[in-house]
């Protein structure tokens, strides 16, 4: 029996209705997983009721009120108060208090691994991604397929209680996004990074997505891998709160969860040993031609390891929660989600481009 079931959840309607359906689907994972983590408890003790959290909420409501309405729906569906869910959605925008364990500090600095593989000839461009997170939510995540009243339809891998976009997903306009955590020490008051990721799911072009990531009022940031099916263009974007840099992928490239572009040389950030190892190993494997066997040959590496399994006693309590692979054609995106190396194609499908 799988220990990493990934249910498929469908939702439609207005923002609150969508959020409610997704919150209800993830209610047990949120209450039994998220709320029991030291990470959540530490943030809750430090930031609940704070002026700083209220400022983040005000910035989100002013810029993207519809996405805040989704969070309100998630909270209602999950049986939680709004502040509890909103605080968790701001976890990357809030500094951890002193005294948390090294494991929780490592969790806050951890992240994922992505591959960008340009198309050859008439072949598809490919974005592939390991999504790494707390082992406590393994088996509590879902694949959501949404038809909103406003904006394009979209699908995404969902953590319990989180507004969508910060993992891996795509929309009906053919925009694909995968996200890697970064831990730059440049947090500021502004729009929470989860909200920014959600906005990308509504983007109808790479140009629109880039304009969203260029905002100067972001509270913190991520690394974003972006693809556009209609043109098969692939972009790697580092977007901490204090800056923005983009590279177009003209040859295969990898990105783990720390800043690597020259624009951010000297920028203070936390880099875990796992992140260094995954970046170095992926770069080496690409140079050695491993991608001839497909992106899974790199993403399922067990030496660094790139694929992270708590059974192998990694350097933290992190697990690869799922692996997403997206093949971008001019008229469609073909996708598959692996629950584990020995549970491939747990979900798959084709999204036709509107």
């Amino acid at each position: 029996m799988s220990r990493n079931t990934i249910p498929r959840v469908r939702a439609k309607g207005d923002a609150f209705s969508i959020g409610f359906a997704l919150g209800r689907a993830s209610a047990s994972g949120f209450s039994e997983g998220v709320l029991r983590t030291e990470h959540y408890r530490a943030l809750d003790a430090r930031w609940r009721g704070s002026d700083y959290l209220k400022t983040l909420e005000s910035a989100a409501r002013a810029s993207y009120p519809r996405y805040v309405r989704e969070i309100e729906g998630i909270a209602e569906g999950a049986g939680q108060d709004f502040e509890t869910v909103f605080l968790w959605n701001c976890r990357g925008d809030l500094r951890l208090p002193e005294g948390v364990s090294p494991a929780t500090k490592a969790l806050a600095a951890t992240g994922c691994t992505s591959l960008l593989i340009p198309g050859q000839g008439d072949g598809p461009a490919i974005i592939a991604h390991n999504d790494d997170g707390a082992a406590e939510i393994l088996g509590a995540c879902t694949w959501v397929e949404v038809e909103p009243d406003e904006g394009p339809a979209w699908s995404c891998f969902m953590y319990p209680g989180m507004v969508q976009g910060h993992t891996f997903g795509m929309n009906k306009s053919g925009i694909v996004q995968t996200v890697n955590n970064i831990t730059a020490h440049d947090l500021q008051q502004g729009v929470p990074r989860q909200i920014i990721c959600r906005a990308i799911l509504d983007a109808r072009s790479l140009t629109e997505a880039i304009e969203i990531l260029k905002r100067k009022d972001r509270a913190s940031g991520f690394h974003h891998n972006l693809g556009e099916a209609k043109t098969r263009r692939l972009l790697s974007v580092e977007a901490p709160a204090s800056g923005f840099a983009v590279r177009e992928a003209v040859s295969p490239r990898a990105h783990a969860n720390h800043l690597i572009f020259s624009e951010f040389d000297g920028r203070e950030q936390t880099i875990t040993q796992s992140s260094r190892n995954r970046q170095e190993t992926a770069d080496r494997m690409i140079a050695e031609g491993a991608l001839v066997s497909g992106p899974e040959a790199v993403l399922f590496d067990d030496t660094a390891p790139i694929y992270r399994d708590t059974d192998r006693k990694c350097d933290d309590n992190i697990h690869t929660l799922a692996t997403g692979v997206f093949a971008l054609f001019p008229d469609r995106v073909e996708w598959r989600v692996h629950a584990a190396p020995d549970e491939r194609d747990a979900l798959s499908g084709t999204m036709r481009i509107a």
Side-chain angles (χ1 to χ4, degrees):
M1 179 179 294
S2 174
R3 61 173 176 159
N4 187 24
T5 56
I6 307 174
R8 204 167 188 161
V9 177
R10 293 181 171 88
K12 63 192 312 183
D14 61 19
F16 185 86
S17 298
I18 290 168
F20 183 86
L22 302 184
R24 183 171 57 184
S26 65
S28 62
F30 189 77
S31 62
E32 297 173 13
V34 170
L35 295 184
R36 296 181 180 181
T37 63
E38 183 190 10
H39 193 181
Y40 173 80
R41 295 195 304 270
L43 292 178
D44 183 68
R46 171 63 181 86
W47 297 106
R48 181 178 287 273
S50 67
D51 289 341
Y52 196 90
L53 184 63
K54 292 174 183 175
T55 300
L56 296 180
E57 181 185 344
S58 295
R61 289 188 183 277
S63 297
Y64 296 107
R66 184 158 52 90
Y67 308 147
V68 178
R69 188 63 174 152
E70 285 184 13
I71 296 176
E72 291 174 339
I74 290 171
E76 184 74 17
Q80 303 291 333
D81 64 87
F82 171 78
E83 188 174 13
T84 294
V85 176
F86 184 75
L87 186 150
W88 186 239
N89 275 272
C90 294
R91 61 179 183 167
D93 311 298
L94 301 169
R95 290 181 175 85
L96 281 168
E98 296 295 327
V100 299
S101 69
T104 293
K105 290 180 180 178
L107 173 62
T110 196
C112 314
T113 309
S114 294
L115 303 175
L116 297 177
I117 309 171
Q120 300 295 318
D122 294 330
I126 294 173
I127 298 182
H129 178 81
N130 277 355
D131 208 272
D132 299 345
E136 288 88 348
I137 64 171
L138 181 70
C141 300
T142 55
W143 176 257
V144 301
E145 298 175 342
V146 176
E147 295 181 30
D149 289 345
E150 184 178 347
W154 50 269
S155 298
C156 195
F157 184 69
M158 177 182 176
Y159 285 18
M162 301 293 281
V163 73
Q164 299 311 291
H166 77 289
T167 54
F168 55 86
M170 61 195 160
N171 70 18
K172 193 73 172 176
S173 295
I175 299 300
V176 175
Q177 174 179 230
T178 72
V179 175
N180 296 328
N181 184 37
I182 55 174
T183 315
H185 299 175
D186 61 353
L187 305 186
Q188 63 182 9
Q189 295 180 354
V191 180
R193 65 182 188 174
Q194 299 290 146
I195 298 289
I196 295 294
C197 289
R198 174 63 185 87
I200 299 296
L201 285 179
D202 276 354
R204 298 184 183 275
S205 67
L206 278 184
T207 299
E208 186 177 338
I210 288 299
E211 288 305 310
I212 294 168
L213 295 178
K214 282 183 175 179
R215 295 181 65 116
K216 297 184 182 300
D217 60 347
R218 292 174 288 108
S220 64
F222 280 119
H223 168 260
H224 302 254
N225 300 282
L226 300 174
E228 184 177 59
K230 294 175 183 177
T231 61
R232 296 189 303 165
R233 292 179 65 202
L234 303 176
L235 302 181
S236 177
V237 182
E238 293 187 346
S242 56
F244 169 91
V246 61
R247 302 284 189 273
E248 183 152 3
V250 296
S251 60
R253 63 189 305 150
H255 201 292
N257 64 289
H258 61 275
L259 299 169
I260 60 174
F261 295 168
S262 59
E263 287 89 337
F264 301 115
D265 286 351
R267 191 66 48 91
E268 188 177 359
Q269 62 173 318
T270 298
I271 308 175
T272 65
Q273 189 60 50
S274 169
S275 188
R276 293 186 191 277
N277 291 347
R278 285 180 282 117
Q279 186 69 55
E280 293 171 0
T281 301
D283 288 344
R284 173 182 55 76
M285 294 182 73
I286 290 172
E288 293 173 349
L291 290 177
V292 70
S293 299
E296 291 88 348
V298 174
L299 293 180
F300 289 161
D301 163 80
D302 62 1
T303 62
I306 294 175
Y307 182 85
R308 307 173 77 187
D309 186 335
T310 52
D311 288 345
R312 286 198 290 270
K313 304 299 182 185
C314 295
D315 58 357
D316 46 38
N317 191 35
I318 301 303
H319 202 296
T320 298
L321 304 174
T323 299
V325 180
F326 302 86
L328 285 65
F329 297 86
D331 63 340
R332 68 192 188 278
V333 176
E334 296 180 358
W335 59 273
R336 58 189 184 271
V337 176
H338 307 308
D342 58 350
E343 293 182 53
R344 302 197 183 197
D345 300 327
L347 297 168
S348 63
T350 299
M351 179 172 278
R352 295 287 173 180
I353 305 308

